Amino acid sequence: MISVLIVGDGNVANHLNEAFGKVDEIQLTKINSRKLENIPSADITILAVSDDAIAEVSKKINNDFLVHTSGACSIGELQNKNSKGVFYMLQTFTKNKPVNFSKVPFCLEADNTKNYKLLEKLASLIGKNIYKIDSNQREKLHIAAVFVNNFTNYMYSIGNDICEKHQIPFEILYPLIEETSEKIKSLAPKDAQTGPAIRKDHQTIKNHLNLLDNNQKEIYQLLTKSIQNGA
């Protein structure tokens, strides 16, 4: 039995609370980070708050082993006096959108081997993909994740805006999106690159630019230039 305390009330905290709550081997407690009086003890205390709040909130927690869930913050952001670690799940978490934790990569770090093994055991109770990732590696991984998730999602948003403007169902693009994500499982992304930029179809590029608003045009030109420079 592993006792776990979750501190926080955001998407990560709530999804973890739901997943851990289904596991008999976990004794679970959850509190809001704004109510840090009479904090329950636990084998692992998981601080699932915003990056900017990690240092301040961690100072108020004296439990034996405290971990945060941030991809962008180092283990050193934790200001508690006892053992420290990181329990970072490389996934996008959305309210009311179920998460299949068996497919989520768990990126773990701890200040000693014993604590790492404890985190590994906890992760294995809800997941399968476990990686030992230190703070330096995680910082770079988080940047990569921003590109493949946050920036890519913004590209979807632009595509959706264009479709809506011209009365085209966005769902027409679903098979293309799926094929693109599937293809990079067998090909390096650079080798999978297609489109007018890599082919240097100048007239097509010019035609596209004439159809875009100023913000979209700037992004299109920047990405086109970057693709061509990297080819």
Side-chain angles (χ1 to χ4, degrees), residues 8-22:
D9 200 34
N11 289 333
V12 172
N14 289 325
H15 279 293
L16 274 180
N17 185 63
E18 182 178 354
F20 287 151
K22 299 175 181 177

Side-chain angles (χ1 to χ4, degrees), residues 126-181:
I126 60 172
K128 299 177 181 178
N129 305 310
I130 299 171
Y131 300 86
K132 189 174 185 179
I133 302 289
D134 64 30
S135 290
N136 182 58
Q137 292 172 311
R138 192 172 56 257
E139 181 182 40
K140 278 67 175 182
L141 178 62
H142 192 261
I143 296 171
V146 167
F147 273 93
V148 303
N149 174 245
N150 306 137
F151 291 168
T152 299
N153 188 72
Y154 185 63
M155 296 299 103
Y156 295 158
S157 180
I158 292 176
N160 186 65
D161 290 343
I162 293 170
C163 285
E164 285 189 348
K165 181 179 179 180
H166 299 281
Q167 295 80 51
I168 302 168
F170 182 63
E171 65 191 43
I172 290 177
L173 294 172
Y174 290 174
L176 177 62
I177 293 170
E178 292 172 1
E179 174 62 17
T180 302
S181 63

